[in-house]
Protein backbone atom coordinates (compact mmCIF):
# COMPACT_ATOMS: atom_id res chain seq x y z
CA UNK A 1 0.00 0.00 0.00
CA UNK A 2 1.42 3.40 -0.88
CA UNK A 3 1.41 6.44 1.40
CA UNK A 4 -1.31 8.29 -0.53
CA UNK A 5 -3.65 5.31 -0.19
CA UNK A 6 -2.96 5.14 3.57
CA UNK A 7 -3.63 8.87 3.93
CA UNK A 8 -6.83 8.56 1.95
CA UNK A 9 -8.04 5.79 4.25
CA UNK A 10 -7.05 7.80 7.34
CA UNK A 11 -9.20 10.79 6.39
CA UNK A 12 -12.03 8.96 4.59
CA UNK A 13 -15.36 10.48 5.50
CA UNK A 14 -13.79 13.53 7.15
CA UNK A 15 -11.91 15.32 4.39
CA UNK A 16 -10.65 15.16 0.82
CA UNK A 17 -7.04 14.46 -0.11
CA UNK A 18 -5.66 16.49 -3.02
CA UNK A 19 -2.31 16.04 -4.76
CA UNK A 20 -0.72 18.32 -7.36
CA UNK A 21 1.59 17.14 -10.11
CA UNK A 22 2.11 15.77 -13.56
CA UNK A 23 -0.14 12.87 -14.39
CA UNK A 24 2.91 10.60 -14.67
CA UNK A 25 4.08 11.55 -11.14
CA UNK A 26 0.87 11.03 -9.20
CA UNK A 27 0.17 7.65 -7.65
CA UNK A 28 -2.35 6.40 -5.15
CA UNK A 29 -5.83 7.72 -4.59
CA UNK A 30 -7.68 10.94 -3.84
CA UNK A 31 -8.36 14.05 -5.90
CA UNK A 32 -5.68 14.80 -8.43
CA UNK A 33 -4.91 18.21 -9.80
CA UNK A 34 -2.92 17.75 -12.95
CA UNK A 35 -0.63 20.73 -13.44
CA UNK A 36 2.30 21.53 -15.66
CA UNK A 37 5.56 23.17 -14.68
CA UNK A 38 4.12 26.62 -15.41
CA UNK A 39 1.02 26.36 -13.18
CA UNK A 40 1.56 24.07 -10.21
CA UNK A 41 2.83 26.87 -7.97
CA UNK A 42 -0.44 28.79 -8.40
CA UNK A 43 -2.42 25.68 -7.47
CA UNK A 44 -0.18 25.12 -4.46
CA UNK A 45 -0.67 28.69 -3.22
CA UNK A 46 -4.44 28.49 -3.60
CA UNK A 47 -4.81 25.06 -2.02
CA UNK A 48 -2.40 25.69 0.86
CA UNK A 49 -4.33 28.76 1.99
CA UNK A 50 -7.61 26.83 1.96
CA UNK A 51 -6.35 23.51 3.31
CA UNK A 52 -7.07 22.46 6.86
CA UNK A 53 -4.00 20.19 6.90
CA UNK A 54 -0.98 20.01 4.60
CA UNK A 55 0.90 16.73 4.54
CA UNK A 56 4.50 16.82 3.39
CA UNK A 57 7.12 14.15 2.87
CA UNK A 58 10.17 16.45 2.97
CA UNK A 59 12.97 16.02 0.48
CA UNK A 60 15.67 18.05 -1.20
CA UNK A 61 13.67 18.11 -4.43
CA UNK A 62 13.58 21.78 -5.53
CA UNK A 63 9.77 21.77 -5.77
CA UNK A 64 9.36 20.36 -2.25
CA UNK A 65 11.83 22.88 -0.80
CA UNK A 66 9.98 25.69 -2.61
CA UNK A 67 6.64 24.51 -1.17
CA UNK A 68 7.99 24.32 2.38
CA UNK A 69 9.62 27.74 1.99
CA UNK A 70 6.30 29.22 0.82
CA UNK A 71 4.44 27.67 3.75
CA UNK A 72 6.99 29.19 6.13
CA UNK A 73 6.86 32.63 4.48
CA UNK A 74 3.07 32.62 4.87
CA UNK A 75 3.31 31.32 8.47
CA UNK A 76 1.25 28.22 7.73
CA UNK A 77 3.38 26.05 10.03
CA UNK A 78 0.50 24.83 12.18
CA UNK A 79 -1.28 23.35 9.14
CA UNK A 80 1.65 21.07 8.34
CA UNK A 81 2.16 17.42 9.18
CA UNK A 82 5.56 16.16 8.04
CA UNK A 83 6.00 12.46 7.46
CA UNK A 84 9.50 11.04 7.74
CA UNK A 85 9.73 7.51 6.37
CA UNK A 86 12.25 4.73 6.48
CA UNK A 87 13.87 6.37 3.47
CA UNK A 88 14.62 9.41 5.66
CA UNK A 89 15.81 7.29 8.56
CA UNK A 90 18.13 5.10 6.50
CA UNK A 91 19.97 7.99 4.86
CA UNK A 92 20.46 5.80 1.76
CA UNK A 93 19.04 8.48 -0.55
CA UNK A 94 20.83 11.82 0.05
CA UNK A 95 17.70 13.73 -1.05
CA UNK A 96 15.86 12.38 2.01
CA UNK A 97 18.66 12.02 4.56
CA UNK A 98 17.84 13.91 7.76
CA UNK A 99 21.37 15.30 7.98
CA UNK A 100 20.95 16.91 4.57
CA UNK A 101 17.34 18.02 5.08
CA UNK A 102 17.61 19.62 8.51
CA UNK A 103 19.85 22.55 7.49
CA UNK A 104 17.73 23.24 4.40
CA UNK A 105 14.51 23.30 6.41
CA UNK A 106 16.12 25.44 9.12
CA UNK A 107 16.84 28.11 6.47
CA UNK A 108 13.08 28.41 6.00
CA UNK A 109 12.48 28.59 9.78
CA UNK A 110 11.32 24.98 10.20
CA UNK A 111 12.50 23.41 13.42
CA UNK A 112 12.92 19.63 13.47
CA UNK A 113 13.12 17.32 16.49
CA UNK A 114 16.71 16.75 17.55
CA UNK A 115 16.06 13.02 17.89
CA UNK A 116 14.68 12.58 14.38
CA UNK A 117 16.42 9.30 13.60
CA UNK A 118 13.53 6.98 12.84
CA UNK A 119 10.22 7.02 11.03
CA UNK A 120 8.25 9.93 12.47
CA UNK A 121 5.17 12.10 12.24
CA UNK A 122 5.83 15.74 13.16
CA UNK A 123 3.40 18.64 13.54
CA UNK A 124 4.27 22.27 14.18
CA UNK A 125 3.21 25.25 16.27
CA UNK A 126 2.50 28.58 14.55
CA UNK A 127 6.15 29.73 14.73
CA UNK A 128 7.55 26.61 13.08
CA UNK A 129 8.70 24.86 16.24
CA UNK A 130 7.74 21.24 16.81
CA UNK A 131 4.46 20.84 18.65
CA UNK A 132 4.21 17.07 18.40
CA UNK A 133 6.68 14.36 17.40
CA UNK A 134 5.58 10.75 17.23
CA UNK A 135 8.68 8.63 16.55
CA UNK A 136 8.63 5.08 15.25
CA UNK A 137 5.03 5.62 14.18
CA UNK A 138 4.67 2.51 12.07
CA UNK A 139 2.60 4.59 9.64
CA UNK A 140 -0.65 2.84 10.24
CA UNK A 141 -4.08 4.33 9.64
CA UNK A 142 -4.70 4.99 13.36
CA UNK A 143 -1.47 6.95 13.89
CA UNK A 144 -1.93 9.06 10.78
CA UNK A 145 -5.59 9.72 11.64
CA UNK A 146 -4.57 10.93 15.10
CA UNK A 147 -1.86 13.18 13.73
CA UNK A 148 -4.21 14.72 11.17
CA UNK A 149 -6.74 15.31 13.97
CA UNK A 150 -3.98 16.96 16.04
CA UNK A 151 -3.02 19.30 13.21
CA UNK A 152 -6.67 20.18 12.57
CA UNK A 153 -7.22 20.89 16.27
CA UNK A 154 -4.14 23.13 16.35
CA UNK A 155 -5.40 24.99 13.31
CA UNK A 156 -8.84 25.53 14.82
CA UNK A 157 -7.56 26.65 18.21
CA UNK A 158 -5.02 29.01 16.64
CA UNK A 159 -7.98 30.96 15.22
CA UNK A 160 -9.25 31.86 18.70
CA UNK A 161 -8.12 35.09 20.31
CA UNK A 162 -7.17 34.79 24.00
CA UNK A 163 -9.71 36.44 26.32
CA UNK A 164 -7.25 39.09 27.56
CA UNK A 165 -6.52 40.20 23.98
CA UNK A 166 -10.15 40.63 22.88
CA UNK A 167 -11.54 44.13 22.42
CA UNK A 168 -13.79 45.47 25.19
CA UNK A 169 -17.51 46.04 24.64
CA UNK A 170 -18.86 49.58 24.71
CA UNK A 171 -19.33 49.16 28.46
CA UNK A 172 -15.62 48.59 28.83
CA UNK A 173 -16.12 45.06 30.13
CA UNK A 174 -14.18 42.22 28.49
CA UNK A 175 -16.25 39.58 26.74
Amino acid sequence: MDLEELLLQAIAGDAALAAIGRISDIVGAGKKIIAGDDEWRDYFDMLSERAACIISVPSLHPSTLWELDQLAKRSLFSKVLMIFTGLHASGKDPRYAIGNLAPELKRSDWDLPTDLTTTSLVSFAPKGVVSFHHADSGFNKRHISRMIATVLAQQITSQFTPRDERPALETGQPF
Side-chain angles (χ1 to χ4, degrees):
M1 178 179 298
D2 68 24
L3 184 56
E4 279 187 47
E5 182 66 32
L6 183 61
L7 291 170
L8 185 67
Q9 287 180 13
I11 65 172
D14 297 319
L17 176 66
I20 304 170
R22 284 177 251 149
I23 197 162
S24 61
D25 294 342
I26 298 177
V27 296
K31 296 181 185 219
K32 306 300 180 185
I33 298 170
I34 308 305
D37 289 339
D38 58 336
E39 60 187 350
W40 70 269
R41 286 179 176 88
D42 294 333
Y43 282 113
F44 179 82
D45 287 340
M46 178 198 56
L47 290 171
S48 62
E49 285 295 329
R50 294 179 177 156
C53 180
I54 300 164
I55 300 167
S56 176
V57 179
S59 75
L60 292 177
H61 292 283
S63 56
T64 304
L65 290 174
W66 180 87
E67 290 169 349
L68 291 169
D69 187 54
Q70 293 304 303
L71 293 170
K73 285 179 180 175
R74 296 191 338 254
S75 296
L76 298 178
F77 298 105
S78 61
K79 287 186 176 188
V80 176
L81 169 63
M82 286 188 187
I83 298 178
F84 294 90
T85 68
L87 188 59
H88 292 94
S90 72
K92 290 180 182 177
D93 185 333
R95 296 171 297 178
Y96 292 89
I98 300 300
N100 296 339
L101 267 173
E104 288 296 323
L105 294 177
K106 191 71 172 168
R107 284 189 195 108
S108 293
D109 294 327
W110 292 97
D111 187 28
L112 293 180
T114 55
D115 59 342
L116 191 61
T117 58
T118 185
T119 57
S120 296
L121 299 171
V122 181
S123 64
F124 298 86
K127 300 289 184 187
V129 297
V130 173
S131 68
F132 187 82
H133 173 211
H134 183 71
D136 197 21
S137 65
F139 299 113
N140 64 43
K141 180 180 171 183
R142 189 186 80 215
H143 285 131
I144 290 178
S145 295
R146 285 183 183 168
M147 284 302 298
I148 291 171
T150 300
V151 172
L152 293 175
Q154 288 172 341
Q155 183 62 20
I156 291 166
T157 56
S158 72
Q159 302 302 313
F160 294 115
T161 304
R163 182 179 297 266
D164 59 348
E165 294 179 19
R166 294 180 191 167
L169 293 172
E170 290 178 16
T171 62
Q173 298 298 315
F175 59 96

